[in-house]
Amino acid sequence: MEETSVFLLCLTASSGVPLYCRSKGSSRQLPFSVIGSLNGVHMFANNQDVLLTSVRTENSRVVWRSFHDSINLIVMSCENTASDLSLNKLLENVFSAMVLVIGLDDLINIKNVERLKKDLRGCYKLIDGFLTESEKMADLTQCVDCVIAPDVAILQECLDGFTQAAESDFGCLMAGGKVVAATNKWWRLASQDVMLLCWLVASLSPHSSRDYPVYLPQGSPTVPHRLLTFQLVPGVDVCVLCGPSPSLQKVESELVERFWKPLVDPLKACLRVQQRSFPASVQLHHGILGLLLVNRDLNKSLYSVQVHPMEDMQRTELKLTLEQRRVTLRSFYTLVLSRYFNRDNIDGKNIPYMETFAEGFSHHAHQCYTVSSSHKCYAVKNELHLLFLVFKPEVPTFSMQTIANKTLQVFTKDCSF
Amino acid sequence: MACTAELPTYLELLLLTLCTSAVWCNAGTAGVQGAVRHVVLTCSSRCRTMEVLRDSNPHEEDDGGGWDSRSSSYTDCSSCSSDLEPEWLERVERNGELFYLELSEGEEETILPLNPGVNHVRFCENVAEVISENAKKNKNEPRFKKLAKILRNKHNRKKGSSRRNGPMGPTSILKHQPSPKTGMHVHQQFKDICLYVNPNRLLDTAPYENLCLLQRLIGIVHQSSKNSKRLEKQGGPDAPHRRSTPEKLVVHGFIPDSPSIRCGQILIGDALLAVNDVEVNTENIERVLSCIPGPMQVKLTFETTVFDAQIPSPNMNSVPQPPMSNMTKLIWGEEHTNHQQILQDMPHIVMYLTLKLDSDTSKEEQEILYQYPVSEASQKLKSIRGLFLTLSDMLQNVTGGCIVSTSLILNKKLVHVSYWKESDHLFLISLPAERISLLHLKNMTADVVRTLKFMYKSLHRAFCQAENVPRLDHFFSLFFQRTVRLSILRTNTSQGPEFYDACSSHLIDNLPGVRWLSLPEDIKTEIDTILSDLEALDFAELSEDYYEMRRLYMILGTCLFYKGYLLANHLPKEDLIDVALYCRHYYLLSLASERIGQLVVWREVYPYYHLEKPGSLSRDEYDQPEARYFILIVGLKHLMMCTLLEAGGCTSKAVGNPGPDYIYVDQLKACLLQLEMLDMSIEERLNASPIPCLSCADWFLPSSRDKFHSVVNSVMMNKLPTPKKANQTLSRKTLIPESQTSLRIRRSSPTRSSGGSDNGSEGLGESTGVGFHSISDMTRKVGRRESQGSGGSEGSGGSGSALKISKKKYSLPNPFNLGSLRRNLSEREAEDLYNTVKLTSGSENTLFHYMYLETVQGVFISPTHREVEDLSGAIHPQLIKNFHRCCLSIRSVFQQTVTEETRSNPASDVCRDFAGLCPVKEHGVLFECSPENWTDQKKSPPKMSYWVIGRLFLQPRPQELYVCFHDSVTEVAVELAFKLSFGMPL
């Protein structure tokens, strides 16, 4: 089996009928016998009142999750960066994506398996996005990716007005799948819902406008809402979450033009910062290769592996390509979150699917770093933010703390992220 | 110390003292060890071909009456003086193994009688015997009370147990019934049992003196039909005895503590037919027995009515819970029952499963080759064994990698399973996550496997031989109890050495190294000399010329432990780790930190290092001989010596299952007695102030009481003349009495001491403006002043040299290197001053804890128990716990690096495509803490941050260093310190 292959299996819990199987990085499918035994051991354990959660071999991991005793998700990953944390997050995301598209009711009460299979095709794109995503980090952090646009104040003002005019409280402006601005109410949605809506919009093929029924996995898993999206300029969409009214035509014809026409230039500017996630005016230390900043209060994150606008890609490509930086950042995030930093939103009633190693510490960890021959990583946690940085190996270890604090300063004070 | 002086640095470096202590003790080692190796090598290559036969070889002499002399050489030497026979002799098991433990007299005296009716169990490897003690319990008994009680001198025990032994005897026998041992042959209805008897130790105490030899020597009670009164007492009504002819010697009962009851294979109802193939009956038995000349092995032939004595033990379901090992009970006393209780409800299991199933025989549970325990809680885990087998098989087929671990949820609790797969067999250990983290469990599994291989050569041999089952039961019962115990201790906020042990077990249990105590050079040399002398085996009875025969064993090496610290090691690293793991699994290291009277352990072992033949052996390389290996551990008080013996090679071949050899044990004991002279100096080293100095975390958090202290201290300091080089000695002298008093205070309530004022005046204080001090505050201050003084004088010259002149011997150019004085200021005060070294930069000592692993020698250094105890505070124990837990995680990242490095070695491409974080060389985590029970509502509690940093050095040899220090240390110093540790010539 290839080193990068990931297989995602979805089966009904009661009968073990495969609903779909998605994979990444592998040319061939998982043999049916393997699918059968993977589900079989889980069912066998279930019959004995034992819940099988995960298995590790020397080169792979398998994680099982059962949702509402109706849907079983199994992921088998041969990536050596995979971890229990990331795979569990993946399964949660995938199930939520299924809920988002077809609603929880249809998933719990499966009447017609063939029909369900057909329905589920609607979320393949979204699910594949979780398997192959390379631009965003929100699948791991559960905090939606954002960009800091140069004229965010104007855009925010316009968005607030537009949303109000569309008889809704929930409005969001996205550029390339990342949030540029959103209304206050939008930020108060469950972080997973925000993330999923964003990923959904990014996964759908570009349309000038769209009226899409969505179930919010956390907010309203059984009652659908309407998600209206409008393409303002290619790559930039505005979306509104609303009830039965207003109609798509009304909003499109009456409001979009009125509110957004004057702002075409700032909207286009959003696309320019999309890769870097923040404007060129923000100067960071030249040793920083990648950055992930999480606002723990608003559940939003800022992610970039092209920190420097005019980076000489020719030279650095040799050392650390963008993909490698991304993988490094993800691995470091996973390591720190699963081992050291306490997660805040752990409610006691949930059964722990994973070992919470960090709980064993009697003092709280606040900073963490690793040094390897190809890069250095640093993480800082404070009351509001989490910051993860990847550095060039030339950066002295002792200076990382200072640089990290300064970087945090730049984003929290100057950009008020 | 000379080496220290040569280190050319003016910076304060974190690691310096580790280096110095290493240099300090190792300067001697290198030479000595080299010499030792030389000696050993010449010994082995010498290999004289002496054609002298060993007399009384057990198997060759067998025809002559079948006397199986258990340990041939001791009979040679000691048969003449059998009153000197060692106490442990009769504990030697059939396969030659021995585990004998006895408490020191001092411990025994403190012991008070125990409760009546409590059964106590004497422990020897796997045989547990129930002995009732008629006694009362005392509340403040020491932890070893029961052990001592049981191991009381023989006289007492016999008396005590004789009173009640009637009902107890059969219990013990029944317990052993289902687990037969090797050497028991069932020929139709006959069985041969070899017993060790000793006519010099007849039971001639009160109730026995009138008994016949059969009872006094062998311990079998035969009830002739005439006096049936005794029958009731000894055999009990439920004994399945059968009426037989008066001629037959039917076993009706047993004398407690006799050889026959100990062997556990004679059953009530058996009939004794022959002794050493001489037919016996009621008429001639006394005469036959009286012919036994001295302590020896006798073969008893029984006719048995119980036919299923050799049921294969995999049939575990019918077998009652194997007798719990009682060692833990002895060591931990009351806590033991608590552990038992927890274990009962905790899902945990060890299984050895086979993937190769015989399809023909559809026997239930045939895939289980071994399991422990058989309890309610483990039943569930046992019932899903199919899952383990399927997963391991399927995933290996699909991914090509061996299965490592599984997590599952059982009764709403996360349970980990850790695997070890070898060919067709799967070994697994399962424990709940709340007791042990997965990282730890994985390491533990690897260690258990290694130890089992060390003891039984291979997993398969260990688990598939029926006679090993009780031994393994014992082994795993120890394993689980220890795990539970450590997890309990960890959650407690208690202090003391136990807590430290429990915390550090996270990390050090699985390190490829042994805790090492650095010793002053002279002591070190002395120990090495004594060990070398022993290893040379050139003394009277052991020299080959003495008996004109080949010696039995060659000593491959020894290692010496004192209170669980390694003092000296002449073993190859791999052997040392094997031995240390064995000791750890049998609690020998923690036992040695208590007082043991006597410990003798003997068993055959299979050291991987010697048995594993290297694939391509070049001509000039030393070829390991075809040999058998034995481990002999002798403990005396705090000292414990482990010796690895080789039989075969240049020595005579070992035949059968030789027991411990009298002479070797004696020599080791003599050696230990000799080493005991050094007890004082070793103890002194343990009590010495820590090198490097450590700080207690609590001193960094101000509290109201500390403020008082700080005021007092700063006032005192202010009164002193400003430190000028000229009057330094004077100022120190004047301080002595004060410092002693203040020390006493410090000891009782270690708190933060201040130094703010003088820090300010010297301009060297930290930016925080508060100063902190290590263990001995006042005296340390002086030391620091001196050091700073000299530091300041470096630039201006002149005055600095004055200081140097006054301490010619120890002129330290490093101005920051000096840390403190120590507790008792004797005439060696000056010397002591320089023995204590501070590692960290800044005017304050900020080092909390450290751990340095050196893989070439297989040792690690970390603060001693005493050092940690001295720092007791409210937060510090928590810090130590976090340190070890964090190190466990850091180390797991490093292990990944190491495996990746080794894997990618062939294609050593610099710009190799790496994935994820690897290879990590350094990893650090910053923790923040604030005092508990912060009552001041107005102010937020003060915070203290500390780093836990691990660093891995792959070149030239893997080394690992973990440190914990206060956040205020500038990282430059850390960086330099790490660099410096390269120069650590350990």
Side-chain angles (χ1 to χ4, degrees), chain A residues 1 50-51 53-54 56 58-59 320 324 339-340 355 357 362-364 366-367 369 371-372 398 401, chain B residues 398-399 402 404-405 407 409 416 437-438 442 878 882 885 889 913 919 921-924 926 928 946 971:
Chain A
M1 193 177 279
V50 175
L51 193 60
T53 61
S54 70
R56 264 196 77 180
E58 280 164 346
N59 54 4
L320 214 53
Q324 282 174 332
R339 296 275 179 79
Y340 308 115
E355 183 176 77
F357 191 85
S362 43
H363 302 151
H364 296 299
H366 283 259
Q367 294 178 25
Y369 72 86
V371 176
S372 79
F398 59 84
Q401 187 175 23
Chain B
V398 175
T399 67
C402 274
V404 174
S405 64
S407 303
I409 294 169
H416 294 311
S437 64
L438 187 56
K442 270 192 271 187
Q878 297 295 318
N882 278 350
R885 193 175 169 84
S889 166
D913 192 33
K921 303 258 162 65
E922 185 179 330
H923 188 7
L926 180 77
E928 197 174 275
Y946 59 91
E971 284 79 357

Side-chain angles (χ1 to χ4, degrees), chain B residues 869-905:
Chain B
E869 249 177 282
D870 282 346
L871 296 170
S872 65
I875 291 168
H876 200 68
Q878 297 295 318
L879 176 137
I880 288 181
K881 182 177 141 193
N882 278 350
F883 171 77
H884 287 104
R885 193 175 169 84
C886 192
C887 287
L888 174 72
S889 166
I890 294 174
R891 196 174 136 74
S892 77
V893 175
F894 288 165
Q895 279 168 330
Q896 228 169 314
T897 304
V898 172
T899 49
E900 211 131 301
E901 289 282 325
T902 49
R903 202 188 305 158
S904 65
N905 232 9

Side-chain angles (χ1 to χ4, degrees), chain B residues 197-209:
Chain B
V197 295
N198 184 354
N200 300 314
R201 292 190 149 225
L202 284 181
L203 309 160
D204 31 46
T205 45
Y208 298 119
E209 47 204 0

Side-chain angles (χ1 to χ4, degrees), chain B residues 96-369:
Chain B
E97 285 171 19
L98 169 71
F99 196 111
Y100 177 79
L101 182 60
E102 187 184 275
L103 277 199
S104 61
E105 307 238 321
E107 291 281 331
E108 282 188 38
E109 276 164 22
T110 58
I111 286 151
L112 288 164
L114 302 155
N115 259 343
V118 177
N119 289 339
H120 293 288
V121 181
R122 185 178 37 190
F123 172 72
C124 57
E125 183 82 357
N126 63 340
V127 181
E129 294 171 22
V130 181
I131 301 161
S132 298
E133 293 286 348
N134 185 12
K136 295 227 166 65
K137 199 177 276 179
N138 183 293
K139 286 266 148 56
N140 315 326
E141 310 132 309
R143 285 166 56 221
F144 273 78
K145 54 179 183 189
K146 290 175 183 173
L147 183 57
K149 183 75 201 163
I150 283 136
L151 296 173
R152 237 167 224 248
N153 61 55
K154 261 188 169 50
H155 187 75
N156 271 355
R157 196 192 311 127
K158 275 164 206 154
K159 260 199 220 159
S161 55
S162 68
R163 260 169 256 153
R164 227 155 322 100
N165 90 80
M168 290 321 295
T171 331
S172 164
I173 291 151
L174 288 174
K175 200 185 287 171
H176 290 291
Q177 215 170 324
S179 51
K181 297 176 183 179
T182 45
M184 189 169 90
H185 319 288
V186 179
H187 308 294
Q188 296 166 344
Q189 283 192 295
F190 303 102
K191 62 179 174 190
D192 289 342
I193 286 161
C194 293
L195 278 190
Y196 175 81
V197 295
N198 184 354
N200 300 314
R201 292 190 149 225
L202 284 181
L203 309 160
D204 31 46
T205 45
Y208 298 119
E209 47 204 0
N210 299 322
L211 299 181
C212 57
L213 269 180
L214 180 64
Q215 297 181 11
R216 287 163 67 196
L217 191 63
I218 303 177
I220 291 174
V221 176
H222 167 69
Q223 203 68 46
S224 68
S225 43
K226 288 171 218 161
N227 55 348
S228 56
K229 225 171 71 192
R230 291 193 78 92
L231 176 74
E232 238 175 46
K233 194 194 168 198
Q234 298 290 350
D238 45 357
H241 59 268
R242 177 182 61 144
R243 286 279 152 228
S244 60
T245 54
E247 288 79 30
K248 248 185 189 170
L249 280 162
V250 179
V251 179
H252 289 128
F254 299 95
I255 299 290
D257 199 44
S258 61
S260 58
I261 198 168
R262 261 199 302 271
C263 87
Q265 294 164 32
I266 307 169
L267 305 174
I268 290 176
D270 290 353
L272 180 62
L273 297 182
V275 175
N276 277 338
D277 297 332
V278 178
E279 204 172 310
V280 290
N281 54 29
T282 38
E283 307 289 310
N284 68 350
I285 178 69
E286 291 299 300
R287 224 175 40 240
V288 170
L289 289 179
S290 64
C291 291
I292 296 174
M296 60 162 53
Q297 194 93 28
V298 289
K299 188 175 81 182
L300 305 177
T301 310
F302 286 93
E303 185 188 19
T304 180
T305 49
V306 184
F307 214 59
D308 54 354
Q310 222 168 19
I311 287 173
S313 46
N315 187 8
M316 292 295 284
N317 265 357
S318 57
V319 177
Q321 179 83 15
M324 265 321 237
S325 91
N326 294 279
M327 191 166 179
T328 47
K329 186 171 175 184
L330 303 173
I331 299 171
W332 298 324
E334 292 311 301
E335 293 169 63
H336 166 79
T337 36
N338 186 20
H339 302 160
Q340 293 287 317
Q341 191 59 44
I342 290 169
L343 276 171
Q344 216 150 53
D345 308 331
M346 185 180 92
H348 66 290
I349 201 165
V350 164
M351 280 196 284
Y352 189 65
L353 306 170
T354 177
L355 292 165
K356 209 163 54 187
L357 287 185
D358 214 350
S359 53
D360 299 339
T361 54
S362 55
K363 222 169 72 185
E364 272 290 295
E365 299 181 356
Q366 56 165 331
E367 67 272 25
I368 303 180
L369 297 180

Side-chain angles (χ1 to χ4, degrees), chain B residues 497-558:
Chain B
E498 286 201 333
F499 179 75
Y500 181 43
D501 266 344
C503 290
S504 54
S505 73
H506 264 320
L507 182 66
I508 63 167
D509 271 9
N510 310 111
L511 285 182
V514 187
R515 190 190 292 271
W516 190 51
L517 183 70
S518 55
L519 288 173
E521 206 177 317
D522 50 335
I523 305 174
K524 183 99 179 84
T525 318
E526 205 164 327
I527 292 174
D528 280 329
T529 316
I530 294 174
L531 291 189
S532 303
D533 283 349
L534 172 78
E535 284 154 2
L537 285 180
D538 232 5
F539 29 77
E541 294 119 310
L542 279 176
S543 74
E544 298 188 332
D545 306 325
Y546 190 80
Y547 283 121
E548 305 237 303
M549 62 170 201
R550 280 213 225 171
R551 60 178 61 135
L552 294 178
Y553 307 105
M554 189 188 77
I555 296 187
L556 286 180
T558 46

